[in-house]
């Protein structure tokens, strides 16, 4: 399969490039013509470091026959690249959030539908064995009705290495836009697609105030569902620069019969590295990005509908947009049924 990685803007782009580069069933091509000059983590510099071929521009990439494309641009630029990839006949894996506006998200979904190509939203935690076990425990009734969920998705501030994350025009927002969607997607699965009824949010930019960003760096989003489940999401960029790991994702699910805790990135090794004089933390568990790419490429080969699809990306984006509306009004925001 010929697979294109479109833009290296997102922090996950390098991971996808490495994983695709090492697959024998993939012919990889990449492009990042919008890279800032001299940025060692973008464009030709990153491609050379990873040993992957890079095209000079978008037209060169889209002139080739593409089977699939991975869009890892700035959030606000997803629509243009997805529309071009779909028009070229490529199945699309789009980095989250699907878009920064509902109009763009709908346009992305419509473009892929018109072209007859699959659209997957990049939510890798869905593909972990731990989450699969949690999903089974909810579906088989062993937890009973899900009463509440407390989720955390914390990490370093990505704007320190990729400044566009701190630009509202390109990112659509800060930590709420970046991190709420992952847990909103897991809730979407656990509640069988039940739509959020009400969203309330609080946020500030106290963390990393020295950067002078125009987006929030910490947030707490509360979601109420029609069936009575209440979820709280800590979506903050709260890990300091010297934290031993990039971040993590946890869920505490309170059911009528039991409480279950999920850690998507459990510790395999915890200690102290004397060579760097820093704490050492090695993650255990599944390679979630590899599992997601496996599933995406399989749907591209077979033509089966991918999951999570574009509609999942739209549903989670609606929660985020309601959170921002709540921040503006200071009140809970009701979502249409």
């Amino acid at each position: 399969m010929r697979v294109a990685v479109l833009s290296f803007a997102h922090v996950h782009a390098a991971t996808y490039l490495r994983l695709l580069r090492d697959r024998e069933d993939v012919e990889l091509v990449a492009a990042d013509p919008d890279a800032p000059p001299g940025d060692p983590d973008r464009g030709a510099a990153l491609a050379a470091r990873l040993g992957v071929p890079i095209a000079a521009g978008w037209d060169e990439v889209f002139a080739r026959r593409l089977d699939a494309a991975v869009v890892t641009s700035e959030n606000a630029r997803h629509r243009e690249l997805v529309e071009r990839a779909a028009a070229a006949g490529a199945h699309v894996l789009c980095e989250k959030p699907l878009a920064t506006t509902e109009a763009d998200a709908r346009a992305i979904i419509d473009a892929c539908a018109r072209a007859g190509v699959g659209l997957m939203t990049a939510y890798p935690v869905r593909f972990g064995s731990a989450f699969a076990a949690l999903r089974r425990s909810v579906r088989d009734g062993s937890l009973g009705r899900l009463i509440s969920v407390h989720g955390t998705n914390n990490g370093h501030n990505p704007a320190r290495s990729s400044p566009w994350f701190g630009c509202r025009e390109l990112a659509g927002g800060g930590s709420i836009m970046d991190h709420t969607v992952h847990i909103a997607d897991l809730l979407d699965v656990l509640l069988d697609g039940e739509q959020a009824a009400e969203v309330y949010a609080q946020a500030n930019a106290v963390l990393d105030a020295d950067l002078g960003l125009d987006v929030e760096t910490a947030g707490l989003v509360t979601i109420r569902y029609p069936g009575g489940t209440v979820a709280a999401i800590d979506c903050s960029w709260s890990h300091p620069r010297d934290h031993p790991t990039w971040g993590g994702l946890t869920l505490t699910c309170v059911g009528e019969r039991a409480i279950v805790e999920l850690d998507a990135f459990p510790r395999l090794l915890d200690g102290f590295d004397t060579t760097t004089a820093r704490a050492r933390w090695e993650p255990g568990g599944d390679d979630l990005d590899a599992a997601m790419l496996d599933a995406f490429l399989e749907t591209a080969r077979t033509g089966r509908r991918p999951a999570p699809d574009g509609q999942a990306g739209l549903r989670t984006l609606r929660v985020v947009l309601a959170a921002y509306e709540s921040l503006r009004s200071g009140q809970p925001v009701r979502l249409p049924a």
Side-chain angles (χ1 to χ4, degrees):
M1 300 180 67
R2 180 175 289 162
V3 182
V5 173
L6 306 177
S7 177
F8 303 165
H10 201 281
V11 293
H12 293 160
T15 298
Y16 300 151
L17 287 166
R18 291 188 190 96
L19 289 168
L20 291 167
R21 174 199 65 190
D22 294 339
R23 294 182 65 113
E24 294 183 355
D25 59 343
V26 166
E27 177 189 340
L28 177 61
V29 61
D32 191 25
D34 301 324
D39 189 335
D41 296 318
R42 296 285 303 270
L46 178 61
R49 190 163 72 246
L50 297 180
V52 301
I54 186 166
W58 300 127
D59 291 342
E60 181 181 336
V61 171
F62 292 119
R64 306 186 187 192
R65 182 191 61 79
L66 297 178
D67 297 299
V70 181
V71 174
T72 41
S73 64
E74 298 88 345
N75 299 339
R77 293 173 174 166
H78 287 175
R79 175 178 175 176
E80 176 187 359
L81 291 176
V82 172
E83 288 178 335
R84 291 197 68 176
H91 297 274
V92 177
L93 170 63
C94 184
E95 187 53 69
K96 60 79 191 167
L98 186 62
T100 58
T101 67
E102 183 163 339
D104 279 355
R106 289 186 177 278
I108 285 171
I109 293 168
D110 291 345
C112 291
R114 284 194 305 270
V117 299
L119 171 63
M120 178 184 280
T121 307
Y123 288 133
V125 180
R126 274 204 192 199
F127 297 93
S129 56
F131 181 70
L134 172 60
R135 185 181 186 183
R136 287 194 299 270
S137 69
V138 172
R139 289 194 166 183
D140 68 16
S142 58
L143 276 183
R145 185 179 67 85
L146 202 56
I147 297 171
S148 69
V149 178
H150 177 245
T152 67
N153 187 192
N154 304 136
H156 297 303
N157 185 338
R160 288 196 175 273
S161 58
S162 300
W164 69 266
F165 275 98
C167 172
R168 190 172 299 277
E169 181 181 358
L170 292 176
S175 62
I176 288 178
M177 180 66 75
D178 189 34
H179 279 174
T180 303
V181 288
H182 275 299
I183 292 177
D185 178 64
L186 300 181
L187 290 165
D188 193 49
V189 176
L190 294 176
L191 297 174
D192 284 328
E194 184 179 347
Q195 299 298 288
E198 187 177 82
V199 176
Y200 178 69
Q202 288 280 351
N204 61 46
V206 174
L207 297 172
D208 293 318
D210 60 299
L211 295 179
L213 306 178
D214 68 344
V215 299
E216 76 286 350
T217 55
L220 182 65
V221 177
T222 304
I223 310 169
R224 183 176 59 80
Y225 290 87
T229 302
V230 176
I233 301 173
D234 176 355
C235 52
S236 307
W237 291 335
S238 53
H239 283 193
R241 282 174 287 181
D242 58 353
H243 196 277
T245 183
W246 65 270
L249 185 150
T250 67
L251 290 179
T252 300
C253 298
V254 179
E256 291 177 320
R257 299 178 181 173
I259 297 174
V260 174
E261 295 184 351
L262 176 144
D263 185 346
F265 304 96
R267 295 186 179 192
L268 180 64
L269 173 66
D270 189 2
F272 188 81
D273 188 336
T274 57
T275 61
T276 61
R278 292 181 59 184
R280 183 175 178 185
W281 187 97
E282 297 291 341
D286 305 319
D287 186 332
L288 303 179
D289 291 319
M292 179 181 69
L293 285 174
D294 284 343
F296 169 61
L297 295 177
E298 182 62 20
T299 62
R301 286 192 190 93
T302 62
R304 291 201 303 267
R305 186 179 182 87
D309 59 9
Q311 291 294 336
L314 175 59
R315 289 193 296 269
T316 52
L317 177 62
R318 284 174 176 156
V319 171
V320 170
L321 296 178
Y324 283 117
E325 185 179 343
S326 176
L327 289 180
R328 289 188 291 270
S329 69
Q331 300 296 321
V333 172
R334 293 190 62 83
L335 279 72

